[in-house]
Amino acid sequence: MTSTDSAQKAPAKDPWDLPDVSGYTVGVLGGTGPQGKGLAYRLARAGQKVIIGSRAADRAQAAAAELGHGIEGADNAEAARRSDIVIVAVPWDGHGDTLKALRAELAGKLVVDCVNPLGFDKKGAYALKPEEGSAAEQAAALLPESRVTAAFHHLSAVLLQDPEIESIDTDVMVLGEQRADVEIVQALAGRIPGMRGVFAGRLRNAHQVESLVANLISVNRRYKAHAGLRVTDV
């Protein structure tokens, strides 16, 4: 190799050159709740293999039967074991306990945390600051053998679950430590028509992404809307 050859840099990777994720099985913990149910429905409708997880297997199976599209239901532990990618969509107040109980089943898995730590009072929604910094960072601390990312925070459960809506017009901000993992989640978001996954930083930046949901709730209440986000010039 000549000095000229060694001085030449390899071409930069196209950030939109994302992997094929169509063969992955996706588990949705908390899949009987509004957000989890909506995500499960949209991904399965796009052709993804989906397993809904719940604390009670019969509740998960009932929700799966209601949604159709080949979705299966199981308890959280079985859903985690059988999935390649696991979306965490449980309520914030059960987030830590759920993940602690599933540490073994989630070992080696790509975990996508979409939980928003929020409080509510007479003034509306407001962001909570977990001790670890964010829900995603709490997940990373509790699941040291998992590959934790954060995404799907700003989606309207109403739009996700509406079978009359063909396309969800929004971007999904994806955070994580490893580029390969982030790109898998971006590609997964892109399976849903109208949706696009955009890299938005490492997990230390997850708090403000999770917190922004409080602002979107205020937008929705004022304008009677189901607001989402678009990142411009990207």
Side-chain angles (χ1 to χ4, degrees):
M1 179 181 292
T2 68
S3 58
T4 301
D5 291 334
S6 61
Q8 291 178 341
K9 291 184 178 180
K13 184 180 185 299
D14 180 354
W16 298 112
D17 179 15
L18 300 174
D20 177 9
V21 297
S22 59
Y24 287 109
T25 296
V26 179
V28 184
L29 306 184
T32 58
Q35 186 182 27
K37 205 172 185 180
L39 278 169
Y41 171 68
R42 285 291 159 179
L43 289 169
R45 181 167 157 170
Q48 209 76 36
K49 173 63 182 171
V50 176
I51 304 172
I52 282 179
S54 177
R55 285 177 295 177
D58 57 347
R59 288 186 61 213
Q61 290 159 359
E66 176 189 339
L67 294 174
H69 295 280
I71 297 172
E72 295 184 44
D75 63 42
N76 281 331
E78 182 182 345
R81 278 193 302 268
R82 293 177 54 198
S83 300
D84 305 298
I85 303 170
V86 180
I87 297 174
V88 180
V90 299
W92 165 241
D93 58 6
H95 182 261
D97 289 341
T98 298
L99 296 184
K100 285 178 190 175
L102 297 172
R103 181 175 295 174
E105 289 83 1
L106 292 171
K109 307 286 184 177
L110 175 54
V111 174
V112 187
D113 200 297
C114 64
V115 175
N116 303 302
L118 297 176
F120 296 87
D121 59 19
K122 62 183 180 180
K123 295 182 180 180
Y126 60 95
L128 302 175
K129 186 73 176 282
E131 182 180 348
E132 298 84 356
S134 64
E137 287 170 294
Q138 182 183 86
L142 293 173
L143 303 172
E145 297 180 57
S146 303
R147 295 139 51 209
V148 175
T149 60
F152 300 117
H153 301 91
H154 307 136
L155 306 181
S156 162
V158 173
L159 297 184
L160 288 173
Q161 293 185 74
D162 188 341
E164 300 300 316
I165 294 176
E166 297 291 331
S167 179
I168 306 292
D169 181 25
T170 193
D171 284 335
V172 171
M173 302 181 83
V174 184
L175 303 97
E177 301 301 318
Q178 300 297 326
R179 179 166 183 163
D181 293 337
V182 168
E183 289 182 346
I184 288 172
V185 181
Q186 287 181 263
L188 188 65
R191 295 272 287 160
I192 300 173
M195 202 174 286
R196 183 180 65 159
V198 179
F199 172 65
R202 294 178 179 268
L203 290 185
R204 67 181 184 180
N205 292 319
H207 172 65
Q208 56 264 37
V209 173
E210 297 168 0
S211 300
L212 190 57
V213 174
N215 302 89
L216 290 178
I217 290 172
S218 297
V219 170
N220 290 338
R221 286 181 174 172
R222 174 63 61 90
Y223 298 102
K224 305 296 187 288
H226 302 291
L229 296 178
R230 279 293 188 199
V231 180
T232 62
D233 198 33
V234 174

